[in-house]
Structure formats: C-alpha cells, structure tokens
Amino acid sequence: TTIARFATHTMRRGLERLVGTALTAGIAPSEANPGAARGIGAILSRSGATSGRFARCGELTGSHSSFATEANDAGDAGSSSDRVGVGMRGDGTAPRFYKKVEVVRVENGGGWGVALDGRALKTPKRAALAVPSKSLAMAIAAEWEWQSGRSIRPFTMPLMALVATSIDQMTQEEVRDFHVRKLLEFFPTDVVLIKHEPGKLADRQAEIHAPILKWARSELGHGVEPTESLYGAQIPEEAMAAAEKRLRAMDPFELTATFNAAASAKSLLTGMALIRGAIDVEHAEMSARVEEDFQIDEWGLVEGGHDIDKADIAVRLAAPRALMSLLRDTS
C-alpha cells in the first residue's frame, strides 16, 4: 500500500509544476521571460491539456524508446539522449550527467532546442532535437531540469518521448504508413462505437460518448454509428476514407500525438477529437474509462490498482494534448 501511494503521488505531480518557475530560473537565462511559466500554464489550461497528474507516456507500437541505447562516440556522448540508456539502472533510472539546462535557438532557422551543459540535445538516432515552438522547447527543458539531483527518470518525461519519436520515427514513410493502417484496422472496434446492451452502463456510454460521436459525424460523415455487435461497427467506406485522409495529412508531431492518444484511449475517435480540441483531457479520460468507472461505482475502488491506472491514463492522454497545444503557441 505504501509503494502504491508513493507511485500515485509521483504520478499526480502535474504538468503545471513541471513547466513552472524552473522555466525562468536558469533554463533560459539568455531568453529570460518573466511570464513564461505562467504563460505555458495558461496555454495548457485553456486547451484542457493539464489533468493534474504526471508520470509517463505510452510508446508507439513498433517504435524505439526515446531513450534507447546506442553505441556512443566518445566525442559525442554528452549531446545525445541515448546517454540515458547507456547508464540505465534496473529500476528504470539513470545517473544525471548534466547540471545546466537551457533553451537555445537551432541554427539555420531550425526552431528551438535544448542544451545540457551547453551541448545540444539530440534524439536517440542522433538527430537534432528541434521544435518550431519555443513553448514546447521550454516544456521539454523543464522535464530535464526537474529531474532529481542524482537520477534521471525517463518515465517522467512524456514530452521528450513524444518529440523524439516524432523526429526519429514518424518522419519515415514506412513507419507512418504502419501506424495509420493500425489505427484504421481497429477503427470498427473503437470503444466509442461498441456499446453495452441496454441498461445503466449503456446510458452512461451514450452520455459520455455523445460529444465525440457528434464531432465524428461532422468530420467523417453521418454513417459513424455505435453498435451492440461483438464484431464491431460497420464503418461506411466514405467515413473510413475520410479518416485515412486526415491521418495521412498529419505532420509527424500530430500523428505521433494522435496515435498515442488513440492507443491509450483504445479509440481512434477519442484520440482524434482530443488532439483536434473537440474534447478536453478529462472528457477523453471518461470516454476511455467509462466501463471501468462504472464497475468501480458498482463494486468499489481497489487502492493501488484502479487509482494508479486512472492517474496513468490521464498522463497518457494529457501529454499528447499538451504537445499539440504547445506546438500551436506562437507567443
């Protein structure tokens, strides 16, 4: 019970704290902005991206961890995030190898990046970690800054994981195609489209899923309807084609965010609606957990189980939404 409570407390620290005053207390001294921390908090709050819980984010199916181990060249060991993998301990942590974290301009108009002790942070595949939004770069820097004095916990760095995956994986056409096809493959068994037999649970599903279905019909067509069939819903060809067109039009960041949100919610519709701003994180969480929450109301909550699952999925949904919200901020 003590371990479970500690884990739950860790996961509930919140995105607000992570992107708090540390952003202006040494992360970007050359770009000092007294309102930066408050600004990022406001962006996430307006967009519904903060959920009050923070832990780790799901990885893309078939993709590498954002802290994968690679052979390091001695001269470049300090600049790549794969150094974390080299020193990984059995408990999933690694020694902290840096003191100073900064947000820096990337050369040749490449946007914004992060520097650790003056050396540019790279992805596990040695690509420059560069994002178009300063706000997002500051949030990633905050993830590195807020690690403890001695250890790095990669599982508390979901934005870093998402961005590294976007750069290393979702820029590859074969990887993009694989994930688009997987999302479409499971579309008929979307949580939002499979409803329980008539009763209290079905009524709750209808209430929670109504805003998502309304958005889906406006985006994909009026043939998107839930079913009681165990074999899944019958998706009209027009709706399937519309979903595919939208997925393939996404840039690497948005597709990464959408896939992670959809996989976490077991719902393409919930993931897309969340990333597009049609629903907030809280509603996405309710949609993903409607059946489990119903059972908890009926039979009670298992401490150290249900509560940790709830905190975990909140982060898995909040991180992709936060990624897109920060990317869109131009302040």
Side-chain angles (χ1 to χ4, degrees):
T1 302
T2 301
I3 294 175
R5 286 176 177 170
F6 174 77
T8 304
H9 171 73
T10 300
M11 285 191 276
R12 290 178 176 173
R13 288 186 175 182
L15 285 167
E16 295 93 338
R17 178 185 176 192
L18 192 69
V19 296
T21 54
L23 293 175
T24 54
I27 290 180
S30 62
E31 297 286 346
N33 182 353
R38 292 190 298 275
I40 289 180
I43 295 165
L44 300 181
S45 178
R46 288 197 304 271
S47 67
T50 52
S51 63
R53 281 144 313 213
F54 186 87
R56 58 189 175 87
C57 179
E59 298 294 338
L60 293 183
T61 303
S63 67
H64 300 292
S65 164
S66 65
F67 302 101
T69 301
E70 292 182 5
N72 275 311
D73 294 328
D76 196 38
S79 61
S80 179
S81 59
D82 63 2
R83 182 167 179 176
V84 176
V86 172
M88 193 71 72
R89 306 183 182 109
D91 62 356
T93 67
R96 178 164 174 160
F97 56 88
Y98 58 92
K99 294 181 180 180
K100 186 178 181 181
V101 183
E102 297 176 282
V103 172
V104 295
R105 277 281 194 182
V106 178
E107 295 180 358
N108 301 320
W112 297 89
V114 176
L116 306 179
D117 291 338
R119 306 190 69 177
L121 181 63
K122 295 183 179 180
T123 69
K125 286 192 172 182
R126 307 294 184 93
L129 192 133
V131 295
S133 162
K134 182 180 178 182
S135 295
L136 177 56
M138 294 178 76
I140 295 170
E143 288 185 330
W144 287 91
E145 177 72 11
W146 275 95
Q147 299 302 306
S148 70
R150 295 183 177 181
S151 298
I152 299 171
R153 296 178 296 168
F155 50 85
T156 65
M157 305 170 76
L159 292 175
M160 175 65 195
L162 288 170
V163 168
T165 301
S166 300
I167 295 171
D168 282 351
Q169 303 298 325
M170 284 303 185
T171 52
Q172 301 179 44
E173 191 57 40
E174 64 274 16
V175 175
R176 289 176 57 87
D177 180 67
F178 173 83
H179 288 91
V180 169
R181 286 188 288 106
K182 280 299 176 184
L183 288 171
L184 296 174
E185 178 183 343
F186 292 102
F187 189 9
T189 54
D190 193 297
V191 164
V192 174
L193 297 179
I194 305 297
K195 61 182 181 180
H196 201 265
E197 60 188 23
K200 292 181 179 179
L201 175 54
D203 292 342
R204 184 180 295 190
Q205 287 177 317
E207 178 184 359
I208 292 174
H209 292 157
I212 300 173
L213 285 169
K214 181 180 179 181
W215 173 85
R217 290 164 185 149
S218 68
E219 288 285 313
L220 307 178
H222 291 281
V224 181
E225 299 293 340
T227 180
E228 294 178 19
S229 172
L230 294 176
Y231 298 100
Q234 295 294 322
I235 309 295
E237 291 184 8
E238 296 80 3
M240 189 69 77
E244 182 174 4
K245 181 179 179 180
R246 282 160 176 73
L247 290 171
R248 294 194 182 281
M250 293 178 179
D251 65 29
F253 293 107
E254 186 175 6
L255 185 55
T256 300
T258 299
F259 188 92
N260 273 268
S264 299
K266 302 179 182 66
S267 167
L268 173 60
L269 295 180
T270 300
M272 290 182 70
L274 174 66
I275 298 305
R276 294 297 179 94
I279 58 173
D280 60 18
V281 172
E282 183 178 1
H283 197 105
E285 182 184 345
M286 290 192 298
S287 172
R289 291 179 48 84
V290 58
E291 293 185 38
E292 186 172 354
D293 286 342
F294 180 82
Q295 296 301 327
I296 290 173
D297 291 344
E298 289 286 310
W299 306 104
L301 180 143
V302 177
E303 185 178 358
H306 290 137
D307 49 352
I308 291 179
D309 289 343
K310 186 176 178 68
D312 182 59
I313 196 170
V315 174
R316 291 176 180 271
L317 294 171
R321 177 62 180 268
L323 171 70
M324 297 309 300
S325 298
L326 292 168
L327 272 173
R328 291 164 181 158
D329 178 57
T330 58
S331 60

